[in-house]
Amino acid sequence: MSTRSVYQDVQKRFHRAADLAKIDSSMRAILASNTNEIVVHFPVRMDDGRIEMFTGYRVQHNDARGPFKGGLRFHPEVELDEVRSLAAWMTWKTAVVDIPFGGAKGGIQIDPSKYSQSELERITRRFTFALGDNIGPDYDIPAPDVNTNARVMAWILDTYLQTRAPGARHNCTHVVTGKPVDLGGSLGRDKATGQGVVWTLEAWAKERGFNLAKMTFTVQGYGNVGSWSARLLAGYGSKMVAAEDHTGSIANPAGIDCEALAAYVRVKGGVAGYEGAKAITHLEFMAAQTDIFIPAALHNQITLETALLIKAKVVAEGANGPTDIEGEAILLERGIDVIPDVLCNSGGVAVSFFEWLQGKHDQMWSLEQVDGELHKKIFKAYEDVRLVAEELKTDRRMAAYVLAIRRLQRVYEQRGIFP
Ligand code: GLU
C-alpha cells in the first residue's frame, strides 16, 4: 500500500493531463482547485444514551458543466484529502460520460459495522441537517458510494424534505439519486455501475479482438459494483475464478457461481467461508491466473508492490482510484490494458442523471429505456476516450482526463469568469 496521499496522485495526474491538453495557466489553476470544502462536526445520541461526535465532509470540486454530483461514503478512512480526490474524479467522470453535472463527493468518517441501524439512521439524518443548504436538487446531489445504499438515500431525502418550508417540499425528490424505486428512484440504478463496467469490457474486447465468453475474471470487492459486474459478466459466459473483500480471498479455477456468491454475501456479510471455493491469501488473489481483473473496492490496491503480480490482460476499474501512479506504469509497461475509473465506473452516475431527469419531470422510464440510454452513453464515452488516446498517443486514463479537460475548457471559454 502506497503511503503517499491519494490526493498527490490526483494532482500529479491532473497536471500531466493538463500538459497534454495544453491548457493555459488560469484554466489549470481553476481545475486544480476545489470550489467548496465543507467539514461538519455533529453530535448524535447512541442507543445506550451516550452522545458521540462525528465528522462529515462534502467537497464540491467543480460545477461549470452542471450541479455538483457525487456519492457519500461511510468509512473509517474518510478524510479531507480522500474526499477531495474523489470529488475531482467525479468532475472528470461526469465530463467523460458527457452528462450535465459537475463533481463532488462526501462522507462520514465512521465504521458503519460498529453501529446499529437506528444509530446509522440518526447519524445520517443529523449529517444531512448539518449540510443544510449545501446540498439541493439543482445544486449538489448526493448518491450512494462505499457502505451507503438506497436506504441511506431515503433517510437523506426524508430529512431534506422535513427541513424545507411546507410549500417547498414537493418537487425536490431529486435532491439525491440512488433512491429506492418507490421513492422516485430509477429502474436500473442499482446495477448501473456494474452494467457500465461490463459494457466498457465489451467495447474493449471488441477493440482487442477477444471473446468475453472464453475469458476468466477476478473481482476485488463484492458489494454493489463488484457483485453486479460479476453477475452481468457471467451472462456473457465469462468465468469468475477468484474474488476477495474485507473478509477474505477465495478461488476456484473451475469457476465460482456469481449469483450464489452474491446470495451468500447478503447473508454472511462477506466472501470468506463460501463453500464453492477455497480460501487463498491476498497476494495469491492478486497473482491469480485470469484474463480480466476488476478492482471494485477501495483506492490504491494496485501499487509498486502488487502490480507485478497481476496476470490479467485488462484491469477494469470498477472502484475509484484502485491503481496508483507506479502501479499503473508497471501494468502499462507489461502490456496490461487499464480501463480507467472515470470511464469504467461512469455508468452509476450516468443512470443517476437519468434518475434526476425522471424526478425533475415526474416521469418513470422503463428498464429498457434506462439501459438503452446507458448503453449509448458508455459506448460513446469509450469511443471518445479511444480517439483521444489515438490522437495523443497516450494511455486511456490520460486520454479520458484530456477529454474531460477539453469539455470543461469549452464551457469556461464561452462563459468567461465572473465578474
Ligand atoms: N458513487 C458513485 C461514483 O463514484 C456514483 C455517484 C453518483 O451517482 O452521483 O461514481
Side-chain angles (χ1 to χ4, degrees):
M1 181 75 108
S2 169
T3 50
R4 202 182 49 239
S5 141
V6 64
Y7 193 52
Q8 285 170 277
D9 266 19
V10 168
Q11 291 286 344
K12 255 200 202 160
R13 277 174 165 148
F14 165 69
H15 286 296
R16 255 171 60 193
D19 291 342
L20 276 172
K22 299 194 174 61
I23 56 170
D24 66 26
S25 57
S26 43
M27 195 64 231
R28 188 187 289 257
I30 290 170
L31 295 179
S33 319
N34 294 302
T35 304
N36 302 301
E37 303 185 340
I38 301 134
V39 183
V40 292
H41 304 284
F42 54 94
V44 178
R45 190 176 297 282
M46 299 292 101
D47 290 345
D48 63 6
R50 268 178 321 111
I51 301 281
E52 207 176 306
M53 286 301 293
F54 294 89
T55 302
Y57 303 87
R58 187 71 179 171
V59 171
Q60 296 162 335
H61 175 254
N62 189 285
D63 67 347
R65 287 174 41 91
F68 297 112
K69 186 80 189 83
L72 289 174
R73 61 173 57 181
F74 291 174
H75 196 274
E77 276 162 31
V78 166
E79 43 83 35
L80 196 51
D81 266 358
E82 185 193 75
V83 182
R84 285 174 170 145
S85 309
L86 290 156
W89 288 329
M90 285 310 301
T91 302
W92 315 144
K93 195 185 300 186
T94 52
V96 166
V97 76
D98 207 7
I99 53 176
F101 281 145
K105 200 78 163 204
I108 306 177
Q109 191 183 75
I110 180 186
D111 178 352
S113 68
K114 299 215 156 71
Y115 297 89
S116 70
Q117 278 304 301
S118 62
E119 286 170 339
L120 283 176
E121 178 175 347
R122 288 196 294 279
I123 293 164
T124 303
R125 287 180 179 280
R126 185 64 199 243
F127 176 51
T128 309
F129 182 79
L131 287 176
D133 284 332
N134 289 299
I135 59 170
D138 292 302
Y139 177 56
D140 182 358
I141 305 126
D145 197 77
V146 174
N147 292 330
T148 56
N149 54 22
R151 182 171 42 195
V152 173
M153 295 307 116
W155 294 332
I156 296 175
L157 170 63
D158 185 61
T159 309
Y160 185 81
L161 295 182
Q162 297 309 321
T163 53
R164 299 300 101 186
R169 265 180 216 157
H170 298 291
N171 212 16
C172 56
T173 53
H174 50 301
V175 64
V176 284
T177 59
K179 300 179 287 289
V181 173
D182 290 331
L183 305 188
S186 177
L187 296 172
R189 176 61 185 86
D190 194 42
K191 71 171 172 106
T193 311
Q195 185 68 77
V197 170
V198 303
W199 277 337
T200 62
L201 277 167
E202 190 185 317
W204 166 83
K206 196 159 165 234
E207 184 192 342
R208 290 291 197 211
F210 291 120
N211 179 358
L212 286 179
K214 296 208 170 88
M215 299 188 106
T216 54
F217 67 93
T218 58
V219 179
Q220 181 186 49
Y222 217 71
N224 173 281
V225 181
S227 69
W228 272 114
S229 301
R231 287 144 74 193
L232 293 166
L233 202 48
Y236 287 75
S238 315
K239 188 167 74 178
M240 180 163 79
V241 290
E244 81 168 2
D245 64 10
H246 61 287
T247 64
S249 315
I250 57 170
N252 184 350
I256 298 171
D257 181 334
C258 299
E259 292 291 347
L261 183 61
Y264 177 86
V265 170
R266 270 196 293 276
V267 177
K268 302 281 182 184
V271 302
Y274 176 67
E275 53 285 348
K278 69 173 195 318
I280 55 169
T281 66
H282 169 62
L283 291 182
E284 284 168 340
F285 170 81
M286 296 302 284
Q289 193 63 54
T290 182
D291 298 313
I292 298 165
F293 175 36
I294 305 174
L298 294 174
H299 56 74
N300 284 359
Q301 297 300 303
I302 303 172
T303 62
L304 201 56
E305 293 83 43
T306 57
L308 278 168
L309 301 174
I310 292 173
K311 301 206 173 63
K313 294 182 176 64
V314 63
V315 171
E317 294 185 336
N320 290 311
T323 313
D324 76 6
I325 290 180
E326 290 83 358
E328 182 166 29
I330 293 170
L331 294 181
L332 296 177
E333 226 173 80
R334 294 179 56 223
I336 299 171
D337 289 337
V338 178
I339 308 175
D341 47 10
V342 294
L343 168 64
C344 191
N345 69 40
S346 65
V349 74
V351 176
S352 276
F353 169 54
F354 304 154
E355 176 177 332
W356 183 78
L357 277 181
Q358 291 169 72
K360 232 172 141 58
H361 302 298
D362 239 334
Q363 291 176 350
M364 180 81 180
W365 297 7
S366 66
L367 182 59
E368 291 67 36
Q369 188 176 355
V370 172
D371 280 352
E373 294 300 318
L374 178 62
H375 191 269
K376 278 191 245 166
K377 283 281 180 208
I378 295 292
F379 280 84
K380 172 79 165 57
Y382 188 92
E383 183 59 10
D384 289 347
V385 169
R386 196 189 65 75
L387 288 174
V388 177
E390 206 172 83
E391 173 203 331
L392 298 177
K393 307 211 170 353
T394 189
D395 59 83
R396 287 178 176 80
R397 188 182 322 274
M398 279 302 111
Y401 280 36
V402 168
L403 178 67
I405 290 170
R406 284 177 176 170
R407 286 179 173 161
L408 282 147
Q409 188 177 21
R410 285 205 288 276
V411 173
Y412 279 100
E413 274 167 7
Q414 292 173 64
R415 271 182 24 183
I417 301 288
F418 174 83

